[in-house]
Amino acid sequence: MATEGELPGELWDEPLGHGPAVRGLWRAARAGRLPHALLFTGPAGIGKFRAARWFTLGLYCERGLPAEGGAPCGQCGPCKRVKSASHLDVFAVDLLETPADERPEELKIGRFVRRERDSDWDGATVDEFLALRAAEGGWRVVLVREMERANVAAQNSILKMLEEPSPNVLWILECSRKNDLLPTIASRCVQVQFERLEVDAVRAWLEQRGVAAERARVLARWSRGSPGEALRSLAQREWELRGLLVETLRGGAPPLVAAAAVWELDGTFEGKTAKAIERARARTTLDLALACVRDLAQAREGAPQSELPHADLASLDLPVAHSGATLRATLETLLALRRDVESNIDPPLLLDRAFLALAPRTAAPRPAAAR
Ligand SMILES: [Zn+2]
Protein backbone atom coordinates (compact mmCIF):
# COMPACT_ATOMS: atom_id res chain seq x y z
CA MET A 1 0.00 0.00 0.00
CA ALA A 2 1.36 3.41 -0.95
CA THR A 3 1.99 5.71 1.96
CA GLU A 4 1.59 9.45 1.89
CA GLY A 5 4.12 11.10 -0.37
CA GLU A 6 5.38 7.96 -1.99
CA LEU A 7 4.91 7.65 -5.72
CA PRO A 8 3.57 4.30 -6.91
CA GLY A 9 6.36 2.11 -8.22
CA GLU A 10 9.18 3.73 -6.30
CA LEU A 11 8.30 2.29 -2.90
CA TRP A 12 10.58 -0.67 -3.40
CA ASP A 13 13.36 0.99 -5.37
CA GLU A 14 16.82 1.74 -4.04
CA PRO A 15 16.29 4.29 -1.26
CA LEU A 16 17.73 7.70 -2.11
CA GLY A 17 21.14 8.07 -0.47
CA HIS A 18 21.03 4.84 1.56
CA GLY A 19 22.19 2.25 -0.98
CA PRO A 20 25.65 1.84 0.58
CA ALA A 21 24.26 1.26 4.10
CA VAL A 22 21.88 -1.45 2.86
CA ARG A 23 24.58 -3.10 0.73
CA GLY A 24 26.73 -3.30 3.84
CA LEU A 25 23.97 -5.28 5.54
CA TRP A 26 23.60 -7.67 2.59
CA ARG A 27 27.37 -8.18 2.80
CA ALA A 28 26.98 -9.10 6.48
CA ALA A 29 24.16 -11.49 5.53
CA ARG A 30 26.34 -13.17 2.88
CA ALA A 31 29.03 -13.64 5.51
CA GLY A 32 26.48 -15.11 7.92
CA ARG A 33 26.98 -12.21 10.33
CA LEU A 34 23.51 -10.70 10.56
CA PRO A 35 22.40 -10.17 14.17
CA HIS A 36 18.85 -11.09 15.15
CA ALA A 37 17.75 -7.49 15.65
CA LEU A 38 18.59 -4.28 13.79
CA LEU A 39 17.61 -0.79 14.87
CA PHE A 40 17.48 1.68 11.98
CA THR A 41 17.81 5.13 13.53
CA GLY A 42 18.23 8.68 12.25
CA PRO A 43 16.15 11.80 11.63
CA ALA A 44 12.50 11.46 10.57
CA GLY A 45 11.59 11.39 6.92
CA ILE A 46 14.98 10.47 5.48
CA GLY A 47 13.97 7.03 4.16
CA LYS A 48 14.89 4.61 6.95
CA PHE A 49 11.80 2.47 6.50
CA ARG A 50 12.27 2.52 2.76
CA ALA A 51 15.80 1.22 3.34
CA ALA A 52 14.36 -1.49 5.61
CA ARG A 53 11.96 -2.57 2.86
CA TRP A 54 14.65 -2.69 0.19
CA PHE A 55 16.97 -4.62 2.49
CA THR A 56 14.17 -7.13 3.20
CA LEU A 57 13.51 -7.56 -0.52
CA GLY A 58 17.19 -8.46 -1.02
CA LEU A 59 16.94 -11.18 1.63
CA TYR A 60 14.24 -12.99 -0.35
CA CYS A 61 15.00 -12.30 -4.02
CA GLU A 62 15.24 -15.54 -6.01
CA ARG A 63 18.54 -14.37 -7.48
CA GLY A 64 20.06 -14.55 -4.01
CA LEU A 65 21.54 -11.84 -1.82
CA PRO A 66 22.50 -8.94 -4.09
CA ALA A 67 26.21 -8.93 -4.91
CA GLU A 68 28.33 -5.76 -4.60
CA GLY A 69 26.59 -2.96 -6.49
CA GLY A 70 23.59 -5.20 -7.18
CA ALA A 71 19.94 -4.94 -6.23
CA PRO A 72 16.99 -7.28 -5.75
CA CYS A 73 15.22 -7.90 -9.06
CA GLY A 74 11.79 -6.85 -7.84
CA GLN A 75 10.19 -9.16 -10.44
CA CYS A 76 10.58 -12.73 -9.20
CA GLY A 77 7.94 -14.59 -7.18
CA PRO A 78 9.40 -13.90 -3.70
CA CYS A 79 10.12 -10.23 -4.58
CA LYS A 80 6.53 -9.81 -5.75
CA ARG A 81 5.16 -11.46 -2.63
CA VAL A 82 7.22 -9.24 -0.33
CA LYS A 83 6.10 -6.17 -2.27
CA SER A 84 2.43 -7.09 -2.12
CA ALA A 85 2.64 -7.96 1.61
CA SER A 86 1.67 -11.56 0.84
CA HIS A 87 5.01 -13.17 1.70
CA LEU A 88 4.33 -15.46 4.63
CA ASP A 89 7.78 -14.91 6.17
CA VAL A 90 7.57 -11.11 6.39
CA PHE A 91 5.46 -9.39 9.02
CA ALA A 92 5.15 -5.61 9.11
CA VAL A 93 3.78 -3.43 11.90
CA ASP A 94 3.13 -0.16 10.11
CA LEU A 95 0.74 2.44 11.55
CA LEU A 96 0.92 4.46 8.35
CA GLU A 97 -1.08 1.73 6.63
CA THR A 98 -4.07 2.88 8.68
CA PRO A 99 -5.90 5.82 7.07
CA ALA A 100 -4.90 9.10 8.74
CA ASP A 101 -8.36 9.81 10.17
CA GLU A 102 -8.47 6.43 11.92
CA ARG A 103 -4.84 6.14 12.91
CA PRO A 104 -4.12 5.74 16.63
CA GLU A 105 -1.31 7.87 18.00
CA GLU A 106 0.33 4.94 19.75
CA LEU A 107 1.39 1.44 18.84
CA LYS A 108 -0.27 -0.63 21.55
CA ILE A 109 0.61 -4.01 22.94
CA GLY A 110 -2.28 -5.63 21.05
CA ARG A 111 -0.35 -5.24 17.81
CA PHE A 112 2.43 -7.42 19.20
CA VAL A 113 0.82 -9.89 21.56
CA ARG A 114 -2.66 -11.40 21.16
CA ARG A 115 -5.06 -9.75 23.58
CA GLU A 116 -8.62 -10.83 24.00
CA ARG A 117 -9.64 -7.68 25.79
CA ASP A 118 -8.56 -4.03 25.83
CA SER A 119 -7.29 -4.24 22.29
CA ASP A 120 -7.99 -1.92 19.38
CA TRP A 121 -6.41 -4.45 17.02
CA ASP A 122 -8.06 -7.59 15.68
CA GLY A 123 -5.52 -8.46 12.96
CA ALA A 124 -2.58 -10.86 13.21
CA THR A 125 0.02 -10.20 15.88
CA VAL A 126 3.79 -10.56 16.06
CA ASP A 127 3.71 -13.37 18.63
CA GLU A 128 1.41 -15.38 16.37
CA PHE A 129 3.75 -14.80 13.45
CA LEU A 130 6.76 -15.87 15.50
CA ALA A 131 5.01 -19.10 16.54
CA LEU A 132 4.93 -20.23 12.90
CA ARG A 133 7.72 -21.93 11.02
CA ALA A 134 9.35 -20.36 7.97
CA ALA A 135 7.04 -20.94 5.02
CA GLU A 136 9.70 -20.57 2.32
CA GLY A 137 12.83 -21.41 4.34
CA GLY A 138 15.41 -18.80 5.25
CA TRP A 139 14.77 -15.60 7.18
CA ARG A 140 11.61 -14.60 8.94
CA VAL A 141 11.47 -10.82 9.20
CA VAL A 142 9.50 -8.61 11.57
CA LEU A 143 9.50 -4.99 10.43
CA VAL A 144 8.33 -2.28 12.82
CA ARG A 145 7.85 1.24 11.51
CA GLU A 146 8.09 4.21 13.89
CA MET A 147 9.07 2.24 16.96
CA GLU A 148 8.95 5.49 18.93
CA ARG A 149 5.16 5.26 18.74
CA ALA A 150 5.14 2.03 20.74
CA ASN A 151 3.97 2.69 24.28
CA VAL A 152 5.75 1.22 27.29
CA ALA A 153 3.59 -1.93 27.48
CA ALA A 154 4.17 -2.60 23.78
CA GLN A 155 7.89 -2.00 24.14
CA ASN A 156 8.07 -4.39 27.06
CA SER A 157 6.35 -7.07 24.99
CA ILE A 158 8.92 -6.55 22.22
CA LEU A 159 11.75 -6.65 24.72
CA LYS A 160 10.54 -10.03 25.96
CA MET A 161 10.51 -11.39 22.42
CA LEU A 162 13.96 -9.93 21.71
CA GLU A 163 15.30 -11.63 24.79
CA GLU A 164 14.25 -15.02 23.46
CA PRO A 165 15.51 -14.92 19.87
CA SER A 166 14.19 -17.65 17.60
CA PRO A 167 16.54 -19.02 14.96
CA ASN A 168 16.39 -17.21 11.62
CA VAL A 169 14.14 -14.46 12.95
CA LEU A 170 15.32 -10.97 12.09
CA TRP A 171 13.77 -7.91 13.70
CA ILE A 172 14.14 -4.59 11.91
CA LEU A 173 12.98 -1.72 14.10
CA GLU A 174 12.79 1.72 12.52
CA CYS A 175 12.90 4.69 14.86
CA SER A 176 13.42 8.46 14.60
CA ARG A 177 13.44 9.26 18.32
CA LYS A 178 15.74 6.80 20.01
CA ASN A 179 15.27 8.55 23.37
CA ASP A 180 11.67 7.32 23.40
CA LEU A 181 12.82 3.69 23.42
CA LEU A 182 13.56 1.62 26.47
CA PRO A 183 17.37 1.60 26.67
CA THR A 184 17.21 -2.19 26.97
CA ILE A 185 15.62 -2.41 23.51
CA ALA A 186 18.35 -0.29 21.91
CA SER A 187 21.05 -2.35 23.61
CA ARG A 188 19.54 -5.63 22.34
CA CYS A 189 19.82 -4.43 18.74
CA VAL A 190 22.69 -3.68 16.40
CA GLN A 191 22.15 -0.02 15.55
CA VAL A 192 22.38 1.24 12.00
CA GLN A 193 22.60 5.01 11.89
CA PHE A 194 21.11 6.73 8.82
CA GLU A 195 22.08 10.28 7.91
CA ARG A 196 20.29 13.19 6.28
CA LEU A 197 20.56 13.52 2.51
CA GLU A 198 22.26 16.31 0.60
CA VAL A 199 19.87 19.26 0.40
CA ASP A 200 20.41 19.34 -3.34
CA ALA A 201 19.35 15.70 -3.70
CA VAL A 202 16.10 16.52 -1.89
CA ARG A 203 15.56 19.54 -4.16
CA ALA A 204 15.98 17.38 -7.30
CA TRP A 205 13.68 14.72 -5.82
CA LEU A 206 10.96 17.32 -5.13
CA GLU A 207 11.27 18.68 -8.66
CA GLN A 208 10.78 15.16 -10.03
CA ARG A 209 7.46 15.16 -8.19
CA GLY A 210 6.38 18.32 -9.96
CA VAL A 211 7.19 20.84 -7.23
CA ALA A 212 8.14 24.16 -8.86
CA ALA A 213 11.89 24.89 -8.85
CA GLU A 214 11.92 27.80 -6.38
CA ARG A 215 9.59 26.07 -3.93
CA ALA A 216 11.61 22.84 -4.21
CA ARG A 217 14.81 24.73 -3.42
CA VAL A 218 13.33 26.41 -0.34
CA LEU A 219 11.51 23.34 1.01
CA ALA A 220 14.65 21.21 0.60
CA ARG A 221 16.57 23.75 2.67
CA TRP A 222 13.88 23.91 5.38
CA SER A 223 13.82 20.10 5.54
CA ARG A 224 17.59 20.01 6.15
CA GLY A 225 17.94 17.04 3.84
CA SER A 226 14.84 15.03 4.78
CA PRO A 227 12.55 14.22 1.83
CA GLY A 228 9.74 13.08 4.14
CA GLU A 229 9.97 16.29 6.10
CA ALA A 230 9.83 18.30 2.85
CA LEU A 231 6.67 16.45 1.82
CA ARG A 232 5.08 17.05 5.20
CA SER A 233 5.94 20.71 4.91
CA LEU A 234 4.34 20.83 1.46
CA ALA A 235 1.20 18.97 2.61
CA GLN A 236 0.81 21.22 5.67
CA ARG A 237 1.20 24.42 3.65
CA GLU A 238 4.27 25.68 5.45
CA TRP A 239 5.19 27.82 2.46
CA GLU A 240 1.95 29.79 2.84
CA LEU A 241 2.14 29.65 6.65
CA ARG A 242 5.58 31.20 6.67
CA GLY A 243 4.27 33.95 4.39
CA LEU A 244 1.67 34.81 7.05
CA LEU A 245 4.25 34.68 9.84
CA VAL A 246 6.66 36.96 7.96
CA GLU A 247 3.95 39.48 7.08
CA THR A 248 3.10 39.64 10.78
CA LEU A 249 6.75 40.00 11.82
CA ARG A 250 7.10 42.84 9.31
CA GLY A 251 4.05 44.64 10.66
CA GLY A 252 2.43 44.32 7.22
CA ALA A 253 -0.60 42.32 8.38
CA PRO A 254 -2.74 42.82 11.49
CA PRO A 255 -1.83 39.83 13.70
CA LEU A 256 -5.37 38.61 14.31
CA VAL A 257 -6.16 38.75 10.61
CA ALA A 258 -3.05 36.69 9.81
CA ALA A 259 -3.91 34.22 12.59
CA ALA A 260 -7.42 33.80 11.18
CA ALA A 261 -5.96 33.21 7.70
CA VAL A 262 -4.09 30.16 9.04
CA TRP A 263 -7.44 28.41 9.50
CA GLU A 264 -8.46 29.23 5.93
CA LEU A 265 -5.54 27.31 4.40
CA ASP A 266 -6.17 23.74 3.36
CA GLY A 267 -3.56 21.16 4.34
CA THR A 268 -3.25 17.63 5.64
CA PHE A 269 -3.16 17.16 9.39
CA GLU A 270 -3.42 13.96 11.32
CA GLY A 271 -6.10 13.47 13.95
CA LYS A 272 -9.14 11.37 14.73
CA THR A 273 -11.33 14.31 15.77
CA ALA A 274 -11.83 17.85 14.48
CA LYS A 275 -10.23 19.12 17.69
CA ALA A 276 -7.18 16.88 17.25
CA ILE A 277 -6.77 18.14 13.69
CA GLU A 278 -6.99 21.75 14.91
CA ARG A 279 -4.36 20.98 17.52
CA ALA A 280 -2.09 19.44 14.87
CA ARG A 281 -2.37 22.58 12.75
CA ALA A 282 -1.59 24.80 15.73
CA ARG A 283 1.42 22.59 16.52
CA THR A 284 2.78 22.93 12.98
CA THR A 285 2.25 26.70 12.98
CA LEU A 286 3.92 27.19 16.34
CA ASP A 287 6.84 24.91 15.43
CA LEU A 288 7.40 26.94 12.28
CA ALA A 289 7.16 30.26 14.15
CA LEU A 290 9.64 28.92 16.72
CA ALA A 291 12.04 27.79 13.98
CA CYS A 292 11.90 31.23 12.33
CA VAL A 293 12.47 33.21 15.53
CA ARG A 294 15.15 30.78 16.75
CA ASP A 295 17.05 31.09 13.46
CA LEU A 296 16.80 34.89 13.69
CA ALA A 297 18.25 34.75 17.20
CA GLN A 298 21.05 32.42 16.17
CA ALA A 299 21.89 34.47 13.07
CA ARG A 300 22.09 37.52 15.33
CA GLU A 301 24.57 35.68 17.54
CA GLY A 302 26.72 34.92 14.51
CA ALA A 303 25.81 31.27 13.78
CA PRO A 304 26.74 30.32 10.21
CA GLN A 305 23.72 31.08 8.03
CA SER A 306 24.24 27.97 5.92
CA GLU A 307 23.16 25.90 8.93
CA LEU A 308 19.97 27.86 9.62
CA PRO A 309 16.99 26.95 7.40
CA HIS A 310 15.33 30.33 8.01
CA ALA A 311 18.45 32.50 8.02
CA ASP A 312 17.15 34.40 4.98
CA LEU A 313 14.83 36.22 7.40
CA ALA A 314 17.88 37.95 8.88
CA SER A 315 18.19 40.11 5.74
CA LEU A 316 14.62 41.42 6.07
CA ASP A 317 15.32 43.92 8.86
CA LEU A 318 12.40 42.64 10.96
CA PRO A 319 11.60 44.71 14.08
CA VAL A 320 11.66 41.58 16.29
CA ALA A 321 15.34 41.08 15.40
CA HIS A 322 16.38 44.58 16.45
CA SER A 323 17.10 43.51 20.00
CA GLY A 324 18.27 40.27 21.54
CA ALA A 325 15.93 40.84 24.48
CA THR A 326 12.87 41.07 22.21
CA LEU A 327 13.87 37.89 20.41
CA ARG A 328 14.30 36.05 23.70
CA ALA A 329 10.95 37.27 25.04
CA THR A 330 9.20 36.26 21.81
CA LEU A 331 10.80 32.83 21.91
CA GLU A 332 9.70 32.32 25.50
CA THR A 333 6.12 33.27 24.67
CA LEU A 334 6.06 30.91 21.70
CA LEU A 335 7.53 28.07 23.74
CA ALA A 336 4.89 28.50 26.43
CA LEU A 337 2.14 28.50 23.79
CA ARG A 338 3.66 25.40 22.18
CA ARG A 339 3.41 23.59 25.52
CA ASP A 340 -0.20 24.74 25.86
CA VAL A 341 -1.12 23.07 22.55
CA GLU A 342 -1.15 19.75 24.40
CA SER A 343 -3.60 21.13 26.99
CA ASN A 344 -7.28 21.88 26.54
CA ILE A 345 -6.84 25.49 25.48
CA ASP A 346 -8.65 26.35 22.28
CA PRO A 347 -6.10 26.13 19.40
CA PRO A 348 -7.36 29.27 17.57
CA LEU A 349 -6.90 31.22 20.80
CA LEU A 350 -3.30 29.99 21.06
CA LEU A 351 -2.54 31.08 17.50
CA ASP A 352 -4.09 34.51 18.15
CA ARG A 353 -1.66 34.92 21.05
CA ALA A 354 1.26 33.68 18.97
CA PHE A 355 0.64 36.13 16.15
CA LEU A 356 0.20 38.96 18.66
CA ALA A 357 3.61 38.04 20.10
CA LEU A 358 5.19 38.18 16.65
CA ALA A 359 3.80 41.58 15.65
CA PRO A 360 6.10 44.58 16.17
CA ARG A 361 5.64 46.15 19.59
CA THR A 362 3.89 49.47 19.34
CA ALA A 363 5.56 52.15 21.43
CA ALA A 364 3.99 52.41 24.89
CA PRO A 365 1.63 55.40 25.06
CA ARG A 366 3.43 58.34 26.59
CA PRO A 367 1.99 59.81 29.76
CA ALA A 368 0.07 62.95 28.91
CA ALA A 369 2.27 65.98 29.36
CA ALA A 370 1.36 68.06 32.36
CA ARG A 371 -0.32 71.23 31.32
ZN1 LIG B 1 13.71 -10.93 -7.00
Side-chain angles (χ1 to χ4, degrees):
M1 174 177 174
T3 306
E4 290 120 71
E6 282 161 338
L7 297 182
E10 73 170 7
L11 258 183
W12 295 90
D13 289 347
E14 177 168 343
L16 194 63
H18 304 314
V22 174
R23 292 199 169 90
L25 293 171
W26 285 329
R27 209 176 302 132
R30 277 201 305 276
R33 290 198 322 266
L34 270 191
H36 74 275
L38 293 166
L39 179 61
F40 283 20
T41 62
I46 58 171
K48 299 184 297 299
F49 195 70
R50 194 178 285 230
R53 281 199 187 109
W54 197 55
F55 170 59
T56 304
L57 204 58
L59 292 178
Y60 292 100
C61 181
E62 221 165 58
R63 293 187 186 172
L65 284 162
E68 285 310 313
C73 77
Q75 306 296 325
C76 67
C79 274
K80 281 187 180 157
R81 286 195 288 283
V82 174
K83 285 161 77 169
S84 64
S86 61
H87 197 298
L88 295 175
D89 291 331
V90 181
F91 191 89
V93 178
D94 180 358
L95 266 184
L96 295 195
E97 283 184 345
T98 308
D101 55 350
E102 296 166 23
R103 192 177 301 154
E105 283 179 20
E106 289 188 324
L107 272 173
K108 295 189 183 154
I109 187 167
R111 297 285 296 235
F112 300 93
V113 179
R114 169 64 56 206
R115 289 258 146 153
E116 299 305 331
R117 298 184 306 136
D118 315 324
S119 183
D120 60 352
W121 180 251
D122 54 10
T125 59
V126 175
D127 68 338
E128 288 167 346
F129 170 75
L130 291 179
L132 302 169
R133 244 192 284 167
E136 302 194 15
W139 289 102
R140 316 198 58 231
V141 172
V142 180
L143 279 163
V144 184
R145 187 177 201 160
E146 298 190 332
M147 248 309 276
E148 63 271 24
R149 294 223 211 192
N151 65 19
V152 174
Q155 290 198 34
N156 274 316
S157 72
I158 293 173
L159 185 60
K160 218 174 242 163
M161 292 189 265
L162 288 176
E163 282 168 345
E164 296 161 5
S166 330
N168 290 335
V169 168
L170 174 64
W171 288 77
I172 307 174
L173 309 176
E174 182 265 331
C175 174
S176 306
R177 295 193 308 270
K178 214 168 65 183
N179 290 344
D180 291 352
L181 295 192
L182 298 175
T184 35
I185 287 190
S187 66
R188 288 255 161 206
C189 300
V190 169
Q191 300 185 30
V192 186
Q193 175 71 35
F194 286 80
E195 306 297 339
R196 294 175 179 279
L197 309 184
E198 297 291 331
V199 167
D200 209 47
V202 178
R203 178 198 56 74
W205 183 85
L206 286 170
E207 281 192 33
Q208 278 170 16
R209 299 172 128 66
V211 178
E214 170 64 5
R215 196 172 283 219
R217 190 182 62 74
V218 171
L219 290 177
R221 195 183 74 227
W222 291 357
S223 80
R224 297 166 61 227
S226 166
E229 179 59 16
L231 283 183
R232 183 202 57 75
S233 180
L234 197 64
Q236 300 190 343
R237 304 283 164 193
E238 289 199 341
W239 175 278
E240 292 83 353
L241 269 180
R242 204 187 82 144
L244 292 168
L245 293 168
V246 172
E247 269 315 287
T248 307
L249 285 163
R250 257 192 223 279
L256 295 182
V257 173
V262 170
W263 303 101
E264 301 297 316
L265 294 172
D266 51 8
T268 315
F269 296 91
E270 211 177 286
K272 277 180 162 177
T273 62
K275 192 52 117 191
I277 290 170
E278 270 194 345
R279 256 205 301 280
R281 188 190 287 269
R283 213 177 274 137
T284 294
T285 311
L286 282 163
D287 283 344
L288 186 61
L290 272 165
C292 291
V293 176
R294 203 176 274 139
D295 282 3
L296 276 170
Q298 296 201 356
R300 199 169 192 276
E301 283 163 18
Q305 301 219 348
S306 58
E307 286 168 24
L308 306 174
H310 299 282
D312 56 309
L313 297 180
S315 62
L316 294 183
D317 189 35
L318 299 166
V320 72
H322 289 175
S323 99
T326 310
L327 276 171
R328 276 192 299 279
T330 308
L331 263 179
E332 273 167 29
T333 307
L334 292 174
L335 278 170
L337 293 168
R338 178 66 181 77
R339 280 192 294 272
D340 286 346
V341 172
E342 313 308 330
S343 73
N344 272 334
I345 303 178
D346 196 34
L349 188 66
L350 290 175
L351 287 198
D352 284 355
R353 290 185 192 155
F355 278 78
L356 284 168
L358 294 172
R361 310 280 190 277
T362 44
R366 292 185 190 175
R371 289 173 194 262

